[in-house]
Amino acid sequence: MPEIAVLPGDGIGQEIMPEAVATARAVTENRGFVWREHLIGGAAIDATGGALPPDTLAACLEADAVLLGAVGGPKWDALPVNQRPEPAALLPLRKHLALFANIRPIRMIPALIGASPLKEEVVRNVDLVVVRELTGGLYFGEKGRRSSPPAAYDTLIYTEEEVRRITRLAFQWARERRRRLCSVDKANVLESSRFWREIALDVAREFPDVELTHMYVDNAAMQLVRQPDQFDVIVTENTFGDILTDLASVLGGSIGMLATASLSGKKGLYEPAHGSAPDIAGQDKANPLAAILSAAMMLKYSFGLTAESERVENAVTAVLADGWRTADLAEPGARIIGTKEMGAKVRAAL
Ligand code: IPM
Ligand code: MG
């Protein structure tokens, strides 16, 4: 029986995850899925002393897929950096599960055009996917401090194999879409970017049917707000991808809509990109749609349940078309509802 490790984590993770699980359960009723909850993040620190308890890691390695809410919050901010929920739970979990590819699709749902801070004509046709490298680069390279004179450093390093596998996967995604891949780097300055570009060009020879272009990351940030519909698939380094996807998320209305899949070729971890949002946690205000759409991605990419996944996506689209909004998507005339009610409306629309 397929088993799913459910990790609600902290802050709004506790509120959005029940909605995602209930929605995914509703469309997989007869498939014998087993859903098991485990501790992660600050919740795990409070209960066990560590942000990623060995039991949780073992359960994730064992499970067929992982559904994650969010980790972190002010209560744990003062801990030394290597014990904080983000670096001590999320990053090692990604590394242990070898989730090297983070897929972040950003598409304009027509009902949300007014919720985007950008002009309608700019965002109307947005439909892009960012493929972010997730287990290498600046976040995982050697880091440290020196005392005299005081200094700190992080290292941006990629092996050839790391670049090959992420660019190859991005080419495959592009091949399933509009066959355009933009590799984002900073090759005018960084050696790691020049290396990345050489390898991308080499991998491109396996994909003569996909058009490869290159763009500097600073220009990519500008192009994403200036003319985002020029992009089909973007592939980029871990940190660049982290920054660009927060920026790109608002093209689709709000980061509260951004679902993600982290893939290894074997296993997938699915999580909304928005984080634990401590400022609104516990108030039934959070938008559960990114978590619900992450669960839909899980059904499709881990279990091949394309029809069930589309049922969930279509239900989300229908609820938004009816004018229902969580506070992050508020616009004049919108009908504002809370986390639980949004989840219930999606299930009613299945
Ligand atoms: C994300 C988040 C994480 C990241 C943080 C919480 C470590 O911002 O998934 O984008 O940078 O990967
Ligand atoms: Mg981020």
Side-chain angles (χ1 to χ4, degrees):
M1 274 189 299
E3 187 170 322
I4 295 150
V6 179
L7 315 178
D10 305 318
I12 63 169
Q14 296 283 343
E15 298 165 72
I16 57 174
M17 205 36 47
E19 303 308 324
V21 172
T23 307
R25 287 184 90 133
V27 294
T28 54
E29 260 164 354
N30 306 316
R31 294 190 178 270
F33 277 42
V34 178
W35 308 78
R36 287 218 177 87
E37 266 198 32
H38 307 279
L39 288 166
I40 195 166
I45 294 177
D46 291 350
T48 73
L52 181 61
D55 287 356
T56 297
L57 179 57
C60 292
L61 287 164
E62 190 72 11
D64 298 286
V66 182
L67 200 52
L68 176 74
V71 300
K75 184 171 174 196
W76 309 282
D77 274 352
L79 289 171
V81 71
N82 60 351
Q83 292 170 30
R84 286 183 49 168
E86 298 89 335
L90 212 45
L91 299 191
L93 183 60
R94 290 170 177 170
K95 195 75 174 177
H96 283 294
L97 299 181
L99 304 168
F100 67 89
N102 184 217
I103 312 292
R104 302 191 161 189
I106 293 146
R107 193 169 53 89
M108 190 74 233
I109 296 179
L112 290 184
I113 283 190
S116 173
L118 298 182
K119 288 193 194 112
E120 180 172 337
E121 59 268 29
V122 173
V123 292
R124 191 184 295 128
N125 298 317
V126 167
D127 180 4
L128 62 93
V129 173
V130 179
V131 177
R132 168 188 174 195
E133 203 290 328
L134 201 60
T135 52
L138 202 51
Y139 289 5
F140 288 91
E142 191 193 324
K143 57 183 87 235
R145 299 246 175 167
R146 292 190 188 127
S147 45
S148 54
Y153 61 95
D154 298 275
T155 316
L156 204 179
I157 180 166
Y158 271 105
T159 66
E160 178 175 339
E161 192 39 44
E162 285 173 323
V163 181
R164 260 183 210 285
R165 67 182 180 183
I166 192 70
T167 47
R168 191 171 281 134
L169 184 138
F171 270 108
Q172 281 154 356
W173 276 74
R175 186 171 259 176
E176 300 298 315
R177 294 172 46 94
R178 301 192 303 277
R179 296 173 183 251
R180 285 179 16 235
L181 178 63
C182 180
S183 173
V184 169
D185 62 34
K186 187 73 184 173
N188 49 348
V189 179
L190 300 178
E191 194 56 35
S192 56
S193 286
R194 275 195 284 275
F195 183 67
W196 178 289
R197 224 179 239 222
E198 285 161 25
I199 297 165
L201 282 165
D202 193 43
V203 173
R205 297 193 298 168
E206 298 166 32
F207 299 88
D209 53 323
V210 176
E211 180 202 32
L212 173 68
T213 56
H214 306 272
M215 196 180 276
Y216 297 142
V217 62
D218 45 354
N219 185 26
M222 178 175 73
Q223 296 300 334
L224 275 167
V225 287
R226 201 184 70 88
Q227 199 199 331
D229 61 7
Q230 70 185 280
F231 295 106
D232 179 15
V233 179
I234 292 174
V235 63
T236 192
E237 187 269 330
N238 199 343
T239 311
F240 296 162
D242 185 25
I243 297 168
L244 290 180
T245 52
D246 263 40
L247 184 155
S249 73
V250 295
L251 301 172
S254 151
I255 197 166
M257 296 299 298
L258 183 53
T260 79
S262 301
L263 306 173
S264 68
K266 291 195 214 89
K267 196 179 306 258
L269 176 148
Y270 302 84
E271 70 180 298
H274 49 57
S276 60
D279 53 326
I280 57 163
Q283 300 169 41
D284 192 41
K285 275 190 189 160
N287 182 351
L289 296 179
I292 290 172
L293 292 169
S294 297
M297 288 180 91
M298 175 184 79
L299 297 177
K300 184 164 173 189
Y301 299 121
S302 279
F303 302 107
L305 299 175
T306 308
E308 286 80 352
S309 175
E310 280 170 7
R311 260 182 86 193
V312 174
E313 286 174 4
N314 292 341
V316 167
T317 306
V319 170
L320 293 170
D322 278 347
W324 300 107
R325 300 280 187 275
T326 41
D328 57 314
L329 298 170
E331 55 185 304
R335 304 195 272 181
I336 305 299
I337 53 179
T339 311
K340 290 200 177 88
E341 203 179 340
M342 183 57 99
K345 294 232 177 278
V346 171
R347 287 190 291 285
L350 284 170

